[in-house]
Amino acid sequence: MIRALLLLVLLGSLGWWLDREHRAGRFQRVDELFLYLLVANTRDRFEKTAPDAETPSQVVLVKMRTADKAEYAGWPPRPLDWQMVLKGLQPFDPAVIVIPETLTWGRPSPEFTREAAEALIPFPSIVLGTEGQIVAGSDAPAFLGGLEDSLPRFEKVQGDIKLVPQLGALIAAPDELLRRQAEIGITILAQATEKPVLSYALHEDGRLRPTTLTQALVRWSGTPYSTHRLLLGPGAGAYLANGAFVPLTNTGEFIVDAKRPISEVDALNVMTVELAEALSDADKEHLKDAEIVVIGTDDDASGGMARLHAQALAKALAMPRIHLLPAPAQWCAWVMAALGGFWLVFLSPKTKALLRGALLILAALGLGFLAFQSALIWCPPTLPAALLAVSTLFARVAGRNTA
């Protein structure tokens, strides 16, 4: 009876203290390492995500076709063209608008630039591309053109940041009137290869800056940079809110499936939506279902910047989510660990307590691996493992004497 009371007080106090420390983030590093191990063993499920023809695409490319350039006010499209496209998209209310190419037309700002900027206001999130250039092996600081404070930075990075491509300079920035209504992201032109890549992060003077692709995913997932985790090197990937995971190369780049089909809508039809019913029912359904709309010039060939961003975002959004075990289920896991501790103390000889306690911990971890393999569900291991470890030590000292 005394042993039971002591064990109950011990495990209850330990559980209360560990839960409080866990909520304060004291054991977050241990839990993160366990999650990284789980993801490393199921990485193929994320990297080989295939498009589902029956599922509406969450990403739509609104393309300004090169073949139709005579239909626009100028080429590349002028502010009036962008204003009309943006106004045509407003009724569909996408969560994020992404424009990878740099919208700049020189100084002073040409006619209709202010109207184009005002057309951005109704959208909750807009990411405008700022063309950047990478360098290799340079010690010179990157030229940011006074945009240092406008560019966010990663706060939680694990791994060698020198593996990441180094930003050399920002070549062009969106018109200042447009920047007031949106955030800017760095766009690096991808090389035309069979498997093109888009940088997820760029190294700049000891910091890591997100790119246009990153900021679109951050906006879509609602992930603050204070909680956005970026892992570099082996097992590289980005961990966002709501269980979203983006697998990356060791150098922090995202491999794009250049042959991935995406939903496309002709920008000319969007521009005239107020004048005539130019949008087909299929186009309306695409825009209605879209969470992210990518807008840009396009020649219907692979390798275009807007198209690559749309394909990359479509792939990232289609990936399975990681599910954290709900709090009530975690409490059940803690209770099961405590019951395992009582079994060690009262039903197992103390001479075998260490071995059996270790086996229980391994069994619990193995169960966690199986749950993640089958359904991508995981439970932070710190508290149940600690309960079992303390119970094992208690059983070794005060357990049963008989076999």
Side-chain angles (χ1 to χ4, degrees):
M1 183 63 182
I2 296 178
R3 284 188 304 163
L5 183 60
L6 287 175
L7 183 59
L8 184 61
V9 172
L10 178 62
L11 294 184
S13 301
L14 178 65
W16 174 81
W17 179 78
L18 287 174
D19 182 53
R20 187 189 67 176
E21 295 298 299
H22 186 272
R23 292 176 184 273
R26 302 286 195 278
F27 300 103
Q28 186 174 7
R29 176 61 174 160
V30 177
D31 294 336
E32 288 176 356
L33 289 174
F34 182 66
L35 178 58
Y36 296 160
L37 182 62
L38 293 175
V39 172
N41 283 275
T42 55
R43 194 173 179 89
D44 286 349
R45 294 184 61 176
F46 298 94
E47 293 181 338
K48 297 181 179 179
T49 302
D52 186 349
E54 298 181 358
T55 303
S57 176
Q58 296 174 286
V59 179
V60 171
L61 171 64
V62 175
K63 56 182 183 178
M64 298 173 165
R65 299 174 66 245
T66 305
D68 298 328
K69 60 184 180 181
E71 303 294 329
Y72 291 89
W75 196 262
R78 305 295 290 173
L80 176 61
D81 301 315
W82 286 97
Q83 178 201 4
M84 295 178 68
V85 170
L86 292 168
K87 289 184 67 175
L89 289 173
Q90 288 175 7
F92 300 99
D93 194 28
V96 184
I97 293 287
V98 183
I99 304 176
E101 59 197 77
T102 306
L103 300 185
T104 182
W105 302 278
R107 295 184 179 179
S109 299
E111 190 178 10
F112 294 107
T113 302
R114 184 174 299 278
E115 288 77 3
E118 292 174 352
L120 292 171
I121 296 176
F123 299 104
S125 294
I126 307 102
V127 181
L128 301 180
T130 299
E131 185 179 352
Q133 186 178 56
I134 59 175
V135 295
S138 175
D139 295 330
F143 173 75
L144 301 183
L147 297 178
E148 293 86 348
D149 296 334
S150 300
L151 297 171
R153 54 183 289 185
F154 287 98
E155 297 184 18
K156 301 187 68 174
V157 180
Q158 297 175 29
D160 185 3
I161 65 174
K162 293 183 180 179
L163 294 172
V164 175
Q166 183 177 353
L167 177 64
L170 297 182
I171 300 175
D175 191 282
E176 184 178 357
L177 292 174
L178 299 176
R179 296 203 304 264
R180 297 174 185 174
Q181 313 298 338
E183 64 178 82
I184 58 174
I186 305 172
T187 299
I188 302 295
L189 297 179
Q191 296 182 353
T193 60
E194 184 178 351
K195 289 187 176 181
V197 296
L198 291 176
S199 294
Y200 195 87
L202 295 169
H203 180 210
E204 182 265 316
D205 195 24
R207 296 177 289 265
L208 288 187
R209 302 283 190 179
T211 61
T212 303
L213 170 66
T214 310
Q215 291 181 239
L217 290 172
V218 164
R219 285 293 180 175
W220 162 75
S221 63
T223 308
Y225 282 101
S226 58
T227 60
H228 184 198
R229 287 178 283 143
L230 179 62
L231 179 65
L232 302 173
Y239 293 81
L240 296 96
N242 301 322
F245 172 73
V246 182
L248 304 172
T249 66
N250 290 358
T251 55
E253 295 172 308
F254 185 76
I255 299 175
V256 184
D257 181 3
K259 298 180 180 180
R260 187 182 188 91
I262 52 175
S263 299
E264 303 177 25
V265 175
D266 194 322
L268 286 177
N269 295 336
V270 177
M271 293 169 66
T272 57
V273 70
E274 292 187 350
L275 303 178
E277 287 296 327
L279 284 175
S280 66
D281 291 339
D283 286 346
K284 291 178 181 178
E285 286 300 315
H286 290 325
L287 291 171
K288 180 181 177 181
D289 294 330
E291 295 188 27
I292 299 179
V293 171
V294 181
I295 315 173
T297 55
D298 186 70
D299 60 2
D300 294 327
S302 62
M305 188 52 57
R307 181 173 293 274
L308 283 178
H309 275 76
Q311 289 170 325
L313 289 167
K315 180 180 178 181
L317 267 61
M319 289 181 181
R321 300 286 191 90
I322 298 171
H323 305 284
L324 177 65
L325 200 65
Q330 290 190 45
W331 298 338
C332 291
W334 303 345
V335 171
M336 293 297 293
L339 291 176
F342 274 86
W343 175 80
L344 286 171
V345 173
F346 295 103
L347 299 178
S348 178
K350 67 179 181 180
T351 55
K352 298 180 180 181
L354 293 180
L355 175 60
R356 293 184 177 181
L359 290 176
L360 279 178
I361 293 174
L362 289 176
L365 293 176
L367 184 62
F369 272 95
L370 289 176
F372 197 83
Q373 288 276 354
S374 61
L376 295 181
I377 296 175
W378 79 290
C379 175
T382 308
L383 200 147
L387 292 175
L388 285 173
V390 170
S391 298
T392 299
L393 295 177
F394 187 88
R396 185 66 182 87
V397 175
R400 291 180 57 190
N401 291 316
T402 59

